Structure formats: structure tokens, C-alpha cells
Amino acid sequence: MLEIVGIAGIISLFSNPAKLFGLVGLYSYGLYLIHQPYVIWLGLRIRDVPIWLFLLIAVVTLAALSAWGMLLEKATNMLVNKLVSMRKPAHA
């Protein structure tokens, strides 16, 4: 735990990496939930490719899954917020 706190402290000294890690952290749980079936499916199909092609596919896949996860989480949050606001009684 102390190592994680130390690394977080070092990252917070640099604004751009801190913003990037914050954005990734904001959507990481949604990405965690959706990535597994896609990665397993893709992994079974790219077993025999050369390492350079594997790395290229991995970078593209990470970017696509991150974008998909962020979009899905934003849409889900908007839907949940809309449903919750409909249940709140109006103040007189």
C-alpha cells in the first residue's frame, strides 16, 4: 500500500500524467467488466502472429476497448441518473 501511495504522490507532481491516470481510474471498473470476453476472443485468434504484429494489435485493442468502455459507462450513468431523477418527488 505504501508503494502505491508513493507512486500516486510522484504522479501527482506532474499534471498531465496525473490527469491521464485520473481519467483511466474513473473508467477502469467499466473497462474491467467489458474487456474479458473481447480479449479472450481476440487472444485465441492472434496466437501465431509475430510479436511486432501482436504489439500493434494490443495497442489498437486497448485504445478501442478504452473508448468503448468510456462510452458505455457514460451512457449507463446518464440512464441511471435519468431513472433516479424520475423517482424523486417534486418539491412543493
Side-chain angles (χ1 to χ4, degrees):
M1 169 134 173
L2 291 176
E3 290 175 3
I4 293 172
V5 170
I7 292 170
I10 292 170
I11 291 172
S12 69
L13 296 175
F14 305 98
S15 64
N16 286 338
K19 289 178 186 177
L20 178 64
F21 275 92
L23 182 64
V24 169
L26 183 64
Y27 295 105
S28 64
Y29 186 67
L31 182 59
Y32 166 74
L33 291 177
I34 67 164
H35 87 284
Q36 189 173 3
Y38 296 118
V39 171
I40 289 172
W41 177 84
L42 182 64
L44 292 173
R45 279 147 186 78
I46 63 172
R47 284 183 181 175
D48 299 325
V49 299
I51 189 67
W52 65 268
L53 184 58
F54 171 81
L55 292 173
L56 179 66
I57 292 170
V59 168
V60 171
T61 301
L62 286 172
L65 284 176
S66 296
W68 173 240
M70 291 172 75
L71 179 70
L72 189 61
E73 189 159 338
K74 282 183 180 184
T76 302
N77 288 341
M78 285 181 9
L79 177 65
V80 168
N81 289 336
K82 184 182 282 190
L83 292 174
V84 168
S85 68
M86 288 174 43
R87 292 189 54 165
K88 290 182 181 177
H91 294 288

